[in-house]
Amino acid sequence: MSLTQRVKLAQELHDGIAQDLVGLGYGLDSLLFQEDDETKRAALRSVRFDINTLIEKVRSEILELRTEHNEQELLGSQPELTYELNKVFSEIINNVTEHSHATRLDVTFIDNGIGGATEVENHYGIPGISERIMALGGHVDIHSDFTGTNVAISLDLLTP
């Protein structure tokens, strides 16, 4: 998609969805001001925070659309790769937990790098992974040698 097309889409998002969300937010602010019931106020505040989150997401997408990228550079950039993979993995995990009725999730990451994924003093990446998975009642297994690294995560899910 050309920069011109992306800018046009960004303009449409700004003038459409973004403005509509801001209007909804103002409407909720008015309801919040008028509401005396604390339970209802808490519910309205929760929706207001959700709308604020959506507004920030739309603004972020608008900025991304308006930013010129060299396509070759974009595909090879580490932050972009990390961002896109995080989005993909989040969607997969959401689908598993919300729709699949699965009771177990196994995830494996394998790379063909130089290995060396071991716990190192004052570095907390690998311990942090293990701690998070164990806190969820799961198990993580990491094997790393000169042919690459294999990270296997197994996690029992709550029954639907």
Side-chain angles (χ1 to χ4, degrees), residues 11 49 70 84 95 113 115 123 126 128 138:
Q11 291 167 339
F49 289 134
N70 175 325
E84 293 299 335
N95 287 342
H123 291 243
I126 291 175

PDB file of all heavy atoms in Angstrom, residues 11 49 70 84 95 113 115 123 126 128 138:
ATOM      1  N   GLN A  11      -6.643   9.263   7.568  1.00  0.00           N
ATOM      2  CA  GLN A  11      -7.594  10.373   7.649  1.00  0.00           C
ATOM      3  C   GLN A  11      -9.006   9.858   7.907  1.00  0.00           C
ATOM      4  O   GLN A  11      -9.748  10.418   8.718  1.00  0.00           O
ATOM      5  CB  GLN A  11      -7.563  11.189   6.358  1.00  0.00           C
ATOM      6  CG  GLN A  11      -6.291  11.974   6.157  1.00  0.00           C
ATOM      7  CD  GLN A  11      -6.158  12.522   4.748  1.00  0.00           C
ATOM      8  OE1 GLN A  11      -6.781  12.042   3.806  1.00  0.00           O
ATOM      9  NE2 GLN A  11      -5.312  13.542   4.597  1.00  0.00           N
ATOM     10  N   PHE A  49     -12.914   3.720  30.511  1.00  0.00           N
ATOM     11  CA  PHE A  49     -11.510   3.321  30.378  1.00  0.00           C
ATOM     12  C   PHE A  49     -11.304   2.469  29.125  1.00  0.00           C
ATOM     13  O   PHE A  49     -10.295   2.605  28.434  1.00  0.00           O
ATOM     14  CB  PHE A  49     -11.029   2.573  31.616  1.00  0.00           C
ATOM     15  CG  PHE A  49     -10.861   3.440  32.825  1.00  0.00           C
ATOM     16  CD1 PHE A  49     -11.346   3.027  34.053  1.00  0.00           C
ATOM     17  CD2 PHE A  49     -10.237   4.677  32.755  1.00  0.00           C
ATOM     18  CE1 PHE A  49     -11.203   3.825  35.177  1.00  0.00           C
ATOM     19  CE2 PHE A  49     -10.085   5.481  33.874  1.00  0.00           C
ATOM     20  CZ  PHE A  49     -10.572   5.054  35.091  1.00  0.00           C
ATOM     21  N   ASN A  70      10.333   2.057   4.566  1.00  0.00           N
ATOM     22  CA  ASN A  70      10.914   1.309   3.463  1.00  0.00           C
ATOM     23  C   ASN A  70      10.483  -0.139   3.694  1.00  0.00           C
ATOM     24  O   ASN A  70      10.785  -0.733   4.727  1.00  0.00           O
ATOM     25  CB  ASN A  70      12.441   1.444   3.517  1.00  0.00           C
ATOM     26  CG  ASN A  70      13.129   0.603   2.471  1.00  0.00           C
ATOM     27  OD1 ASN A  70      12.688  -0.492   2.145  1.00  0.00           O
ATOM     28  ND2 ASN A  70      14.232   1.124   1.966  1.00  0.00           N
ATOM     29  N   GLU A  84       4.615  -7.684  15.489  1.00  0.00           N
ATOM     30  CA  GLU A  84       3.707  -8.511  14.692  1.00  0.00           C
ATOM     31  C   GLU A  84       3.560  -9.910  15.276  1.00  0.00           C
ATOM     32  O   GLU A  84       2.460 -10.456  15.339  1.00  0.00           O
ATOM     33  CB  GLU A  84       4.181  -8.585  13.233  1.00  0.00           C
ATOM     34  CG  GLU A  84       4.089  -7.267  12.493  1.00  0.00           C
ATOM     35  CD  GLU A  84       2.683  -6.698  12.395  1.00  0.00           C
ATOM     36  OE1 GLU A  84       1.693  -7.461  12.468  1.00  0.00           O
ATOM     37  OE2 GLU A  84       2.560  -5.473  12.256  1.00  0.00           O
ATOM     38  N   ASN A  95      -7.848 -17.169  20.899  1.00  0.00           N
ATOM     39  CA  ASN A  95      -8.745 -18.123  20.254  1.00  0.00           C
ATOM     40  C   ASN A  95      -8.777 -19.459  20.983  1.00  0.00           C
ATOM     41  O   ASN A  95      -9.837 -20.068  21.139  1.00  0.00           O
ATOM     42  CB  ASN A  95      -8.353 -18.332  18.785  1.00  0.00           C
ATOM     43  CG  ASN A  95      -8.705 -17.143  17.932  1.00  0.00           C
ATOM     44  OD1 ASN A  95      -9.511 -16.304  18.298  1.00  0.00           O
ATOM     45  ND2 ASN A  95      -8.072 -17.060  16.774  1.00  0.00           N
ATOM     46  N   GLY A 113      19.675 -20.693  15.641  1.00  0.00           N
ATOM     47  CA  GLY A 113      20.767 -19.783  15.984  1.00  0.00           C
ATOM     48  C   GLY A 113      21.962 -20.511  16.572  1.00  0.00           C
ATOM     49  O   GLY A 113      22.139 -21.713  16.386  1.00  0.00           O
ATOM     50  N   GLY A 115      22.625 -20.946  19.758  1.00  0.00           N
ATOM     51  CA  GLY A 115      22.399 -21.506  21.086  1.00  0.00           C
ATOM     52  C   GLY A 115      22.817 -20.531  22.166  1.00  0.00           C
ATOM     53  O   GLY A 115      22.867 -19.328  21.966  1.00  0.00           O
ATOM     54  N   HIS A 123      20.795 -11.629  34.823  1.00  0.00           N
ATOM     55  CA  HIS A 123      19.950 -11.594  33.633  1.00  0.00           C
ATOM     56  C   HIS A 123      18.691 -12.382  33.978  1.00  0.00           C
ATOM     57  O   HIS A 123      18.779 -13.474  34.521  1.00  0.00           O
ATOM     58  CB  HIS A 123      20.670 -12.209  32.427  1.00  0.00           C
ATOM     59  CG  HIS A 123      21.817 -11.387  31.946  1.00  0.00           C
ATOM     60  ND1 HIS A 123      21.846 -10.837  30.695  1.00  0.00           N
ATOM     61  CD2 HIS A 123      22.968 -10.994  32.556  1.00  0.00           C
ATOM     62  CE1 HIS A 123      22.973 -10.160  30.550  1.00  0.00           C
ATOM     63  NE2 HIS A 123      23.671 -10.244  31.671  1.00  0.00           N
ATOM     64  N   ILE A 126      15.323 -15.733  31.041  1.00  0.00           N
ATOM     65  CA  ILE A 126      14.956 -17.152  31.174  1.00  0.00           C
ATOM     66  C   ILE A 126      14.284 -17.423  32.522  1.00  0.00           C
ATOM     67  O   ILE A 126      13.222 -18.065  32.555  1.00  0.00           O
ATOM     68  CB  ILE A 126      16.176 -18.065  30.930  1.00  0.00           C
ATOM     69  CG1 ILE A 126      16.565 -17.979  29.445  1.00  0.00           C
ATOM     70  CG2 ILE A 126      15.865 -19.510  31.329  1.00  0.00           C
ATOM     71  CD1 ILE A 126      17.825 -18.728  29.073  1.00  0.00           C
ATOM     72  N   GLY A 128      12.558 -15.373  34.231  1.00  0.00           N
ATOM     73  CA  GLY A 128      11.237 -14.736  34.141  1.00  0.00           C
ATOM     74  C   GLY A 128      10.245 -15.582  33.361  1.00  0.00           C
ATOM     75  O   GLY A 128       9.081 -15.710  33.743  1.00  0.00           O
ATOM     76  N   GLY A 138       2.141 -24.274  34.699  1.00  0.00           N
ATOM     77  CA  GLY A 138       2.697 -24.945  33.535  1.00  0.00           C
ATOM     78  C   GLY A 138       4.134 -25.365  33.726  1.00  0.00           C
ATOM     79  O   GLY A 138       4.704 -25.262  34.818  1.00  0.00           O
TER      80      GLY A 138
END
